[in-house]
């Protein structure tokens, strides 16, 4: 999944970003509302972790822009205000979830996974296709019952493939979903990640190259 963290407390923002990246998510980060509004227009995010009290442009206005754009982006709103009225107001803006500071990082990750399962069509937390099983919340992958040790990036790439099993996934889509906004579109990072992923998955191959188009995952 690709995530935007929009939080003006830089230490918190950077801590969340680094933690999510370590788990294999593609994460962009910004520290004010103007930057957040710009990114949600130019990039497609699965989840936006949005501080409600952003400077320059209030988080409420950023949330309204996300909803008005009609995208399937999910919003987790963060705030230091803990009253029921604040939570009701935040959800009333169109946010999908509401998290009060301080919060445990593990809870944020669990909520991100929960929101990802609200995709259209809804997907289960455990993906199983062509003998490959991917358990997102537990970060576990196996093939025919054999556990596999994948890097966070390999895990992210495999998750994109399995969420689109049977469909052609382009290199550009992999870059968008499994890397952050600083990824070089001319890099060979995608090719290398797919190559090592194929090797770890073993035979028979389940990742097939579609000449001129990308890759297809399936038996």
């Amino acid at each position: 999944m690709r995530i935007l963290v929009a939080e003006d407390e830089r230490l918190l923002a950077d801590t969340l970003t680094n933690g999510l990246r370590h788990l294999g998510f593609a994460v962009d980060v910004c520290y004010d509302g103007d930057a957040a509004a710009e990114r949600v227009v130019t990039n497609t995010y699965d989840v936006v972790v949005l501080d409600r009290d952003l400077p320059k442009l209030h988080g409420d206005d950023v949330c309204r822009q996300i909803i008005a754009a009609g995208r399937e982006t999910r919003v987790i709103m963060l705030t230091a205000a803990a009253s029921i009225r604040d939570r009701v107001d935040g959800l009333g803006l169109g946010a999908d979830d509401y998290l009060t500071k301080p919060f445990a990082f593990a809870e944020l990750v669990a909520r991100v996974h929960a929101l990802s399962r609200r995709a259209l069509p809804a997907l289960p937390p455990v993906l199983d296709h062509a003998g490959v099983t991917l358990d997102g919340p537990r970060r576990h992958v196996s093939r025919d019952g054999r556990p596999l040790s994948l890097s966070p990036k390999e895990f992210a790439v495999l998750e994109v493939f399995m969420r689109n099993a049977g469909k052609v996934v382009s290199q550009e889509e992999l870059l968008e979903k499994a890397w952050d906004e600083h990824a070089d579109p001319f890099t060979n990072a995608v090719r290398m990640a797919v190559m090592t992923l194929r090797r770890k998955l073993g035979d028979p191959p389940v990742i097939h190259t579609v000449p001129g188009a990308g890759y297809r995952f399936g038996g």
Side-chain angles (χ1 to χ4, degrees):
M1 288 183 290
R2 187 166 183 183
I3 300 172
L4 174 65
V5 173
E7 166 63 60
D8 67 316
E9 296 180 39
R10 286 182 175 258
L11 179 58
L12 175 59
D14 293 342
T15 299
L16 295 179
T17 298
N18 292 333
L20 291 167
R21 285 175 178 167
H22 182 72
L23 292 176
F25 296 107
V27 188
D28 298 335
V29 61
C30 59
Y31 309 103
D32 63 69
D34 284 347
E38 179 182 353
R39 280 169 171 78
V40 297
V41 169
T42 57
N43 300 311
T44 300
Y45 295 103
D46 298 289
V47 176
V48 175
V49 179
L50 179 66
D51 180 33
R52 190 172 184 186
D53 299 311
L54 288 173
K56 296 188 178 180
L57 183 66
H58 198 273
D60 288 359
D61 295 316
V62 177
C63 186
R64 291 188 184 98
Q65 290 187 22
I66 294 172
I67 302 306
R71 297 186 177 182
E72 295 175 8
T73 301
R74 306 300 182 181
V75 177
I76 300 177
M77 191 162 286
L78 307 179
T79 184
S83 72
I84 293 176
R85 171 51 57 189
D86 286 311
R87 293 197 294 272
V88 169
D89 289 345
L91 294 170
L93 291 168
D96 299 274
D97 204 349
Y98 202 89
L99 200 53
T100 303
K101 302 176 185 176
F103 54 85
F105 177 71
E107 182 179 3
L108 174 66
V109 173
R111 290 174 183 247
V112 167
H113 280 296
L115 288 181
S116 75
R117 295 196 292 273
R118 297 186 194 175
L120 300 175
L123 292 170
V126 178
L127 304 177
D128 196 336
H129 192 77
V132 179
T133 301
L134 184 148
D135 186 333
R138 293 179 176 83
R139 314 302 293 176
H140 180 268
V141 177
S142 63
R143 181 168 190 187
D144 298 326
R146 174 175 58 92
L148 303 177
S149 178
L150 304 184
S151 71
K153 192 60 66 182
E154 291 161 357
F155 189 99
V157 170
L158 179 60
E159 186 170 27
V160 174
F161 280 141
M162 295 189 70
R163 285 176 175 272
N164 295 277
K167 302 176 183 178
V168 175
V169 179
S170 68
Q171 178 166 304
E172 290 75 18
E173 185 174 354
L174 284 171
L175 272 174
E176 179 179 330
K177 293 294 186 181
W179 276 263
D180 59 33
E181 64 184 349
H182 301 296
D184 181 355
F186 301 104
T187 184
N188 65 352
V190 170
R191 183 176 61 84
M192 295 300 296
V194 172
M195 182 179 69
T196 58
L197 187 55
R198 278 173 165 159
R199 176 176 55 81
K200 291 183 178 182
L201 289 170
D203 293 323
V206 289
I207 300 174
H208 308 281
T209 300
V210 181
Y215 306 93
R216 181 187 290 112
F217 181 90

